Amino acid sequence: MGVTYKYFGAPDGATAARVPISMRPEELGGDELGMGGLFTKIKPETIAAMVLTGIQGMPLHKVPPLELVVLHPDYAVVKLPMTVVDPLRGIGEESVGAAAFIWSTVPDRGGPRDAFNVYQLLHEWQDFSVRLHEAGHQPYCLVWP
């Protein structure tokens, strides 16, 4: 059994910290935890590296760390830097395709394996990025086994 990652938006860390307890999207003022969130087996560190190195051209060693919001015996909540979702809103198909090709060669257990899967994932993240921006939310990830 693997770890599941649920990405969602929240206006601040205090709200994000309450999410695992309630799991009620209306408390976030939107649908980020419901249909608007993302369930995936891909680690937040991998998503951050994928966007920042593949799209922004940042060296891997400069990718900022994730911020731990809650560490509980049953789950954790981490905050992703806004630099992970913001660049996705303004890029076109060519950039998405190039990043997908680059990242299709990077092994990640449980993650996408071919360029088309990575391409689809990046498009999902583009949509998620737009929703976060429109709601004024920041990106968080709920991690549980």
Side-chain angles (χ1 to χ4, degrees):
M1 188 164 131
V3 175
T4 301
Y5 303 98
K6 173 66 175 179
Y7 295 91
F8 65 96
D12 53 51
T15 304
R18 290 192 305 271
V19 166
I21 299 163
S22 70
M23 297 298 284
R24 293 171 56 192
E26 62 271 12
E27 290 186 8
L28 297 180
D31 192 32
E32 292 305 337
L33 196 62
M35 295 300 292
L38 291 173
F39 277 107
T40 183
K41 295 286 188 182
I42 300 173
K43 298 178 282 205
E45 298 86 5
T46 302
I47 294 291
M50 186 184 303
V51 171
L52 296 175
T53 63
I55 293 173
Q56 293 292 95
M58 181 182 289
L60 191 56
H61 70 278
K62 296 238 183 205
V63 172
L66 304 176
E67 179 184 324
L68 183 64
V69 177
V70 174
L71 181 59
H72 184 274
D74 298 326
Y75 60 85
V77 175
V78 295
K79 178 181 176 189
L80 285 77
M82 286 303 288
T83 53
V84 173
V85 292
D86 282 347
L88 291 169
R89 286 196 323 273
I91 64 170
E93 289 297 310
E94 189 173 307
S95 296
V96 173
F101 176 75
I102 291 166
W103 273 92
S104 69
T105 64
V106 177
D108 180 47
R109 286 180 287 199
R113 305 227 186 285
D114 64 38
F116 185 70
N117 285 344
V118 178
Y119 177 81
Q120 289 179 310
L121 173 73
L122 287 174
H123 269 292
E124 288 176 21
W125 271 87
Q126 271 189 311
D127 293 343
F128 184 57
S129 175
V130 168
R131 290 192 308 271
L132 286 176
H133 180 74
E134 289 173 353
H137 289 177
Q138 298 186 26
Y140 293 89
C141 182
L142 173 60
V143 181
W144 73 94

